[in-house]
Amino acid sequence: MKSRLGKLALVATACVATSAALLACGGGGGGGGAGFPLILPPAANPPASEQPGQPGQPGEPVVPAGPTALTCNQLQGMAIPAASIGLPTTGATVTAAKPIAASGTGVTAVPAYCEVSGKIAPVDPAAPNILFQVGLPENWNQKIVMFGGGGFDGTIPSVKSNVPNGPVDKPTPLGRGYATFASDSGHQANAMGSQDGRFGLNDEAVRNFGGDVLKKTRDVAVAIIKARYAAGPVKSYFAGGSTGGREALAAIQRWPADWDGAIAWYPAWNDAAALLGGHRMSRALAQPGAYPNAAKRLVLYEAAMETCDALDGAVDGLISNQTLCNARFDPSTATLRGVAVRCPGGADTGNTCLSDAQIGAMNTINTPTNLRFPLASGETQYPGYNIWGADTGIGSWTSPLEPTVTFLAFGASQPTRPMPANAPYVSVLTDQWIKYFITRDPAYDSLSLDPENPGAWASRISALSTQLDTSTDISAFKARGGKLLLAHGLADVLVSTRATEQYYLRLQSSMGPSQVDAFVRYYEVAGLGHAVSSVFNATWDSLTALDQWSVNGSAPAGQVTTDTSGVPGRTRPLCDYPKWPQYKGTGDVNVASSFQCVN
């Protein structure tokens, strides 16, 4: 779930030519692969059953030795047959391939590269194409990064993008020599961007969004990469946040042999449950008098800070001990500068307090959504959100990031019928999900659906959960040596931080903490909301940490996150969950070394 302002997407494409024939390759996982199968023009391709393949690897062609690398221009117009793609399609086509000159300097430098665009055709003629792009640097480091999307996707992330919350003092993956790729996840958004759910009317488009697009895009992109360089990648990484975080976890769970590592920030890994939890939030905010304006949000934020800021040992505008804060803070009894947060008598008496209706909505957001019907995915609930101390969109703050924070949080209008475009992000998203995915009735009153007891719609939601909720069984990924980095802001009111905690704890429960520690790290960041923050806009060189772990076996240690907005340049240690950074009592509160990780 991410801002339509930062348009995201996935990737795919592929192909290659020689003077005598067309070549392409499907491909091995993160570990190499060196050649291409012979491919005939699309119309002449033999049936899939006659295509060459490796035992136990459907759609992975056998490749002859000694391929010839193609130039960027030679990739133009090439076709990749459906048999070379691991899930059903009707093939892929490179629609454009153009050399891009080097640009920028220092950390903003982008090397000369080949920009490839293409499409993957669906099986259902009524389904949209998957559109993708691939960035192929002239000086390739033999590694690849696939970018995930956000919200309902619908646009292609730039191949020049950084990883989520990546460092500002390091080049982007393309700038470091990685081949990069992404796609729109199999549909093209309208002006609503990442909140456009119209594609939910088509089953193949829904399956693509649910995860199928990841395999299709990866196979096509790797085929193009092998065509361009006459060699496959030695390391393959996935990086995404929000929906892209779910995509990262889905990719390593469903196709573990394809990936050596993944970076998943604020992942909506149990997306059906998350949408139901978000819809419960939306319905609570839609109640008469329940929606707090920006001034009231500031009162709640400052009151939580007054109660909880010092719980980590430093009064620095950050709540690092969120668990204790959640236990102590109660808006019904809290005060701000000696004045009760609750309005006198519970009535709405102005902008300096919260009414009982508004406090009730906040308490709903803080508590779990309990699903009183079975989901085929096995999920039974969605946890509450860390609303105490979260920036839910405070209009008086002048940070240039605040409009995006507001857009992704409570928005500027109360949820109602019809749903305003500037309502909370999750309200618009769930309105679209209910209308197009669940009921498939654009006129349906989404606010009438009870997320805990959906009645006649329970079976449809259950079916969708098998595509949107990601299994936590990543044992095959671990067995092949994969590495996973998880991170989440503590002040996220779009994708619950507590859900990522549950994901990590499930890994520990099934494998044991020591086994999880061998291939997973999970970090929480105080002050960070969903993706961006005016309080602590976290950045972290996760790609270097992942690559060093995967290549050298150097597990992450002493990792640090840097703020670029609240107090630009201040740092905090990234603590292995469940530890959190506690101030040592001396030293600069803006320097990570002044903090220690404690339970």
PDB file of all heavy atoms in Angstrom, residues 576-597:
ATOM      1  N   ASP A 576      18.061  -5.781  16.677  1.00  0.00           N
ATOM      2  CA  ASP A 576      17.419  -7.052  16.359  1.00  0.00           C
ATOM      3  C   ASP A 576      16.169  -7.194  17.221  1.00  0.00           C
ATOM      4  O   ASP A 576      16.250  -7.215  18.453  1.00  0.00           O
ATOM      5  CB  ASP A 576      18.365  -8.222  16.635  1.00  0.00           C
ATOM      6  CG  ASP A 576      19.589  -8.212  15.730  1.00  0.00           C
ATOM      7  OD1 ASP A 576      19.543  -7.555  14.676  1.00  0.00           O
ATOM      8  OD2 ASP A 576      20.587  -8.864  16.088  1.00  0.00           O
ATOM      9  N   TYR A 577      15.006  -7.299  16.564  1.00  0.00           N
ATOM     10  CA  TYR A 577      13.753  -7.455  17.293  1.00  0.00           C
ATOM     11  C   TYR A 577      13.827  -8.682  18.209  1.00  0.00           C
ATOM     12  O   TYR A 577      14.366  -9.714  17.820  1.00  0.00           O
ATOM     13  CB  TYR A 577      12.594  -7.605  16.304  1.00  0.00           C
ATOM     14  CG  TYR A 577      11.262  -7.763  16.965  1.00  0.00           C
ATOM     15  CD1 TYR A 577      10.573  -6.651  17.430  1.00  0.00           C
ATOM     16  CD2 TYR A 577      10.713  -9.030  17.155  1.00  0.00           C
ATOM     17  CE1 TYR A 577       9.347  -6.803  18.065  1.00  0.00           C
ATOM     18  CE2 TYR A 577       9.491  -9.188  17.793  1.00  0.00           C
ATOM     19  CZ  TYR A 577       8.820  -8.065  18.251  1.00  0.00           C
ATOM     20  OH  TYR A 577       7.606  -8.214  18.889  1.00  0.00           O
ATOM     21  N   PRO A 578      13.335  -8.576  19.469  1.00  0.00           N
ATOM     22  CA  PRO A 578      12.500  -7.523  20.039  1.00  0.00           C
ATOM     23  C   PRO A 578      13.254  -6.412  20.762  1.00  0.00           C
ATOM     24  O   PRO A 578      12.633  -5.638  21.507  1.00  0.00           O
ATOM     25  CB  PRO A 578      11.634  -8.294  21.028  1.00  0.00           C
ATOM     26  CG  PRO A 578      12.545  -9.373  21.525  1.00  0.00           C
ATOM     27  CD  PRO A 578      13.379  -9.771  20.338  1.00  0.00           C
ATOM     28  N   LYS A 579      14.552  -6.338  20.578  1.00  0.00           N
ATOM     29  CA  LYS A 579      15.297  -5.265  21.231  1.00  0.00           C
ATOM     30  C   LYS A 579      14.943  -3.911  20.630  1.00  0.00           C
ATOM     31  O   LYS A 579      14.478  -3.819  19.491  1.00  0.00           O
ATOM     32  CB  LYS A 579      16.794  -5.518  21.110  1.00  0.00           C
ATOM     33  CG  LYS A 579      17.286  -6.733  21.886  1.00  0.00           C
ATOM     34  CD  LYS A 579      18.783  -6.917  21.737  1.00  0.00           C
ATOM     35  CE  LYS A 579      19.272  -8.126  22.531  1.00  0.00           C
ATOM     36  NZ  LYS A 579      20.739  -8.317  22.398  1.00  0.00           N
ATOM     37  N   TRP A 580      15.167  -2.848  21.422  1.00  0.00           N
ATOM     38  CA  TRP A 580      14.895  -1.485  20.974  1.00  0.00           C
ATOM     39  C   TRP A 580      15.994  -0.572  21.512  1.00  0.00           C
ATOM     40  O   TRP A 580      16.681  -0.913  22.480  1.00  0.00           O
ATOM     41  CB  TRP A 580      13.517  -1.012  21.442  1.00  0.00           C
ATOM     42  CG  TRP A 580      13.239  -1.228  22.901  1.00  0.00           C
ATOM     43  CD1 TRP A 580      12.714  -2.333  23.480  1.00  0.00           C
ATOM     44  CD2 TRP A 580      13.504  -0.309  23.979  1.00  0.00           C
ATOM     45  NE1 TRP A 580      12.624  -2.175  24.845  1.00  0.00           N
ATOM     46  CE2 TRP A 580      13.104  -0.938  25.176  1.00  0.00           C
ATOM     47  CE3 TRP A 580      14.028   0.988  24.041  1.00  0.00           C
ATOM     48  CZ2 TRP A 580      13.221  -0.320  26.418  1.00  0.00           C
ATOM     49  CZ3 TRP A 580      14.147   1.603  25.280  1.00  0.00           C
ATOM     50  CH2 TRP A 580      13.735   0.954  26.447  1.00  0.00           C
ATOM     51  N   PRO A 581      16.218   0.593  20.880  1.00  0.00           N
ATOM     52  CA  PRO A 581      17.328   1.462  21.283  1.00  0.00           C
ATOM     53  C   PRO A 581      17.018   2.290  22.528  1.00  0.00           C
ATOM     54  O   PRO A 581      16.092   3.095  22.529  1.00  0.00           O
ATOM     55  CB  PRO A 581      17.546   2.350  20.055  1.00  0.00           C
ATOM     56  CG  PRO A 581      16.233   2.360  19.356  1.00  0.00           C
ATOM     57  CD  PRO A 581      15.583   1.054  19.637  1.00  0.00           C
ATOM     58  N   GLN A 582      17.796   2.083  23.556  1.00  0.00           N
ATOM     59  CA  GLN A 582      17.647   2.824  24.814  1.00  0.00           C
ATOM     60  C   GLN A 582      18.824   3.782  24.968  1.00  0.00           C
ATOM     61  O   GLN A 582      19.976   3.414  24.741  1.00  0.00           O
ATOM     62  CB  GLN A 582      17.620   1.859  25.993  1.00  0.00           C
ATOM     63  CG  GLN A 582      17.451   2.536  27.354  1.00  0.00           C
ATOM     64  CD  GLN A 582      17.582   1.539  28.487  1.00  0.00           C
ATOM     65  OE1 GLN A 582      18.624   0.897  28.650  1.00  0.00           O
ATOM     66  NE2 GLN A 582      16.516   1.375  29.266  1.00  0.00           N
ATOM     67  N   TYR A 583      18.515   5.012  25.358  1.00  0.00           N
ATOM     68  CA  TYR A 583      19.566   6.014  25.567  1.00  0.00           C
ATOM     69  C   TYR A 583      20.438   5.593  26.739  1.00  0.00           C
ATOM     70  O   TYR A 583      19.950   5.169  27.791  1.00  0.00           O
ATOM     71  CB  TYR A 583      18.929   7.376  25.831  1.00  0.00           C
ATOM     72  CG  TYR A 583      19.899   8.517  25.998  1.00  0.00           C
ATOM     73  CD1 TYR A 583      20.868   8.796  25.032  1.00  0.00           C
ATOM     74  CD2 TYR A 583      19.840   9.337  27.127  1.00  0.00           C
ATOM     75  CE1 TYR A 583      21.751   9.845  25.184  1.00  0.00           C
ATOM     76  CE2 TYR A 583      20.712  10.396  27.284  1.00  0.00           C
ATOM     77  CZ  TYR A 583      21.667  10.643  26.313  1.00  0.00           C
ATOM     78  OH  TYR A 583      22.548  11.690  26.467  1.00  0.00           O
ATOM     79  N   LYS A 584      21.755   5.707  26.565  1.00  0.00           N
ATOM     80  CA  LYS A 584      22.695   5.285  27.603  1.00  0.00           C
ATOM     81  C   LYS A 584      22.761   6.252  28.777  1.00  0.00           C
ATOM     82  O   LYS A 584      23.322   5.929  29.826  1.00  0.00           O
ATOM     83  CB  LYS A 584      24.097   5.135  26.998  1.00  0.00           C
ATOM     84  CG  LYS A 584      24.224   4.036  25.969  1.00  0.00           C
ATOM     85  CD  LYS A 584      25.635   4.009  25.381  1.00  0.00           C
ATOM     86  CE  LYS A 584      25.795   2.915  24.350  1.00  0.00           C
ATOM     87  NZ  LYS A 584      27.156   2.914  23.734  1.00  0.00           N
ATOM     88  N   GLY A 585      22.219   7.442  28.621  1.00  0.00           N
ATOM     89  CA  GLY A 585      22.232   8.432  29.692  1.00  0.00           C
ATOM     90  C   GLY A 585      23.218   9.549  29.467  1.00  0.00           C
ATOM     91  O   GLY A 585      23.136  10.604  30.104  1.00  0.00           O
ATOM     92  N   THR A 586      24.160   9.333  28.562  1.00  0.00           N
ATOM     93  CA  THR A 586      25.123  10.375  28.210  1.00  0.00           C
ATOM     94  C   THR A 586      25.367  10.317  26.706  1.00  0.00           C
ATOM     95  O   THR A 586      25.138   9.303  26.063  1.00  0.00           O
ATOM     96  CB  THR A 586      26.476  10.165  28.926  1.00  0.00           C
ATOM     97  OG1 THR A 586      27.019   8.890  28.561  1.00  0.00           O
ATOM     98  CG2 THR A 586      26.313  10.233  30.436  1.00  0.00           C
ATOM     99  N   GLY A 587      25.845  11.447  26.178  1.00  0.00           N
ATOM    100  CA  GLY A 587      26.144  11.503  24.760  1.00  0.00           C
ATOM    101  C   GLY A 587      25.060  12.208  23.969  1.00  0.00           C
ATOM    102  O   GLY A 587      23.946  12.464  24.452  1.00  0.00           O
ATOM    103  N   ASP A 588      25.395  12.535  22.749  1.00  0.00           N
ATOM    104  CA  ASP A 588      24.496  13.244  21.840  1.00  0.00           C
ATOM    105  C   ASP A 588      23.306  12.354  21.494  1.00  0.00           C
ATOM    106  O   ASP A 588      23.474  11.244  20.979  1.00  0.00           O
ATOM    107  CB  ASP A 588      25.282  13.615  20.573  1.00  0.00           C
ATOM    108  CG  ASP A 588      24.501  14.527  19.639  1.00  0.00           C
ATOM    109  OD1 ASP A 588      23.267  14.642  19.778  1.00  0.00           O
ATOM    110  OD2 ASP A 588      25.141  15.110  18.737  1.00  0.00           O
ATOM    111  N   VAL A 589      22.080  12.837  21.755  1.00  0.00           N
ATOM    112  CA  VAL A 589      20.891  12.033  21.482  1.00  0.00           C
ATOM    113  C   VAL A 589      20.642  11.870  19.985  1.00  0.00           C
ATOM    114  O   VAL A 589      19.753  11.110  19.586  1.00  0.00           O
ATOM    115  CB  VAL A 589      19.629  12.642  22.140  1.00  0.00           C
ATOM    116  CG1 VAL A 589      19.732  12.604  23.647  1.00  0.00           C
ATOM    117  CG2 VAL A 589      19.358  14.041  21.625  1.00  0.00           C
ATOM    118  N   ASN A 590      21.398  12.574  19.170  1.00  0.00           N
ATOM    119  CA  ASN A 590      21.230  12.454  17.726  1.00  0.00           C
ATOM    120  C   ASN A 590      22.248  11.495  17.096  1.00  0.00           C
ATOM    121  O   ASN A 590      22.330  11.410  15.866  1.00  0.00           O
ATOM    122  CB  ASN A 590      21.340  13.829  17.056  1.00  0.00           C
ATOM    123  CG  ASN A 590      20.194  14.739  17.444  1.00  0.00           C
ATOM    124  OD1 ASN A 590      19.051  14.299  17.534  1.00  0.00           O
ATOM    125  ND2 ASN A 590      20.497  16.003  17.688  1.00  0.00           N
ATOM    126  N   VAL A 591      22.988  10.772  17.917  1.00  0.00           N
ATOM    127  CA  VAL A 591      24.026   9.871  17.424  1.00  0.00           C
ATOM    128  C   VAL A 591      23.730   8.452  17.898  1.00  0.00           C
ATOM    129  O   VAL A 591      23.476   8.214  19.085  1.00  0.00           O
ATOM    130  CB  VAL A 591      25.424  10.320  17.911  1.00  0.00           C
ATOM    131  CG1 VAL A 591      26.496   9.344  17.438  1.00  0.00           C
ATOM    132  CG2 VAL A 591      25.729  11.719  17.405  1.00  0.00           C
ATOM    133  N   ALA A 592      23.787   7.512  16.987  1.00  0.00           N
ATOM    134  CA  ALA A 592      23.427   6.128  17.290  1.00  0.00           C
ATOM    135  C   ALA A 592      24.261   5.539  18.411  1.00  0.00           C
ATOM    136  O   ALA A 592      23.755   4.726  19.213  1.00  0.00           O
ATOM    137  CB  ALA A 592      23.567   5.274  16.028  1.00  0.00           C
ATOM    138  N   SER A 593      25.524   5.919  18.520  1.00  0.00           N
ATOM    139  CA  SER A 593      26.396   5.333  19.536  1.00  0.00           C
ATOM    140  C   SER A 593      25.993   5.712  20.952  1.00  0.00           C
ATOM    141  O   SER A 593      26.484   5.124  21.924  1.00  0.00           O
ATOM    142  CB  SER A 593      27.850   5.759  19.290  1.00  0.00           C
ATOM    143  OG  SER A 593      27.982   7.169  19.327  1.00  0.00           O
ATOM    144  N   SER A 594      25.081   6.670  21.105  1.00  0.00           N
ATOM    145  CA  SER A 594      24.593   7.048  22.433  1.00  0.00           C
ATOM    146  C   SER A 594      23.470   6.128  22.911  1.00  0.00           C
ATOM    147  O   SER A 594      22.919   6.334  23.995  1.00  0.00           O
ATOM    148  CB  SER A 594      24.097   8.498  22.424  1.00  0.00           C
ATOM    149  OG  SER A 594      25.129   9.382  22.062  1.00  0.00           O
ATOM    150  N   PHE A 595      23.139   5.124  22.103  1.00  0.00           N
ATOM    151  CA  PHE A 595      22.039   4.224  22.428  1.00  0.00           C
ATOM    152  C   PHE A 595      22.539   2.783  22.459  1.00  0.00           C
ATOM    153  O   PHE A 595      23.499   2.428  21.776  1.00  0.00           O
ATOM    154  CB  PHE A 595      20.912   4.358  21.401  1.00  0.00           C
ATOM    155  CG  PHE A 595      20.214   5.686  21.444  1.00  0.00           C
ATOM    156  CD1 PHE A 595      20.799   6.813  20.866  1.00  0.00           C
ATOM    157  CD2 PHE A 595      18.984   5.830  22.059  1.00  0.00           C
ATOM    158  CE1 PHE A 595      20.175   8.046  20.914  1.00  0.00           C
ATOM    159  CE2 PHE A 595      18.344   7.057  22.107  1.00  0.00           C
ATOM    160  CZ  PHE A 595      18.943   8.171  21.542  1.00  0.00           C
ATOM    161  N   GLN A 596      21.865   1.965  23.261  1.00  0.00           N
ATOM    162  CA  GLN A 596      22.162   0.541  23.324  1.00  0.00           C
ATOM    163  C   GLN A 596      20.883  -0.246  23.073  1.00  0.00           C
ATOM    164  O   GLN A 596      19.783   0.206  23.421  1.00  0.00           O
ATOM    165  CB  GLN A 596      22.731   0.173  24.696  1.00  0.00           C
ATOM    166  CG  GLN A 596      21.808   0.498  25.861  1.00  0.00           C
ATOM    167  CD  GLN A 596      22.473   0.304  27.211  1.00  0.00           C
ATOM    168  OE1 GLN A 596      23.557  -0.264  27.288  1.00  0.00           O
ATOM    169  NE2 GLN A 596      21.824   0.761  28.276  1.00  0.00           N
ATOM    170  N   CYS A 597      21.007  -1.390  22.452  1.00  0.00           N
ATOM    171  CA  CYS A 597      19.845  -2.220  22.145  1.00  0.00           C
ATOM    172  C   CYS A 597      19.514  -3.085  23.356  1.00  0.00           C
ATOM    173  O   CYS A 597      20.366  -3.837  23.845  1.00  0.00           O
ATOM    174  CB  CYS A 597      20.136  -3.093  20.928  1.00  0.00           C
ATOM    175  SG  CYS A 597      20.343  -2.150  19.391  1.00  0.00           S
TER     176      CYS A 597
END
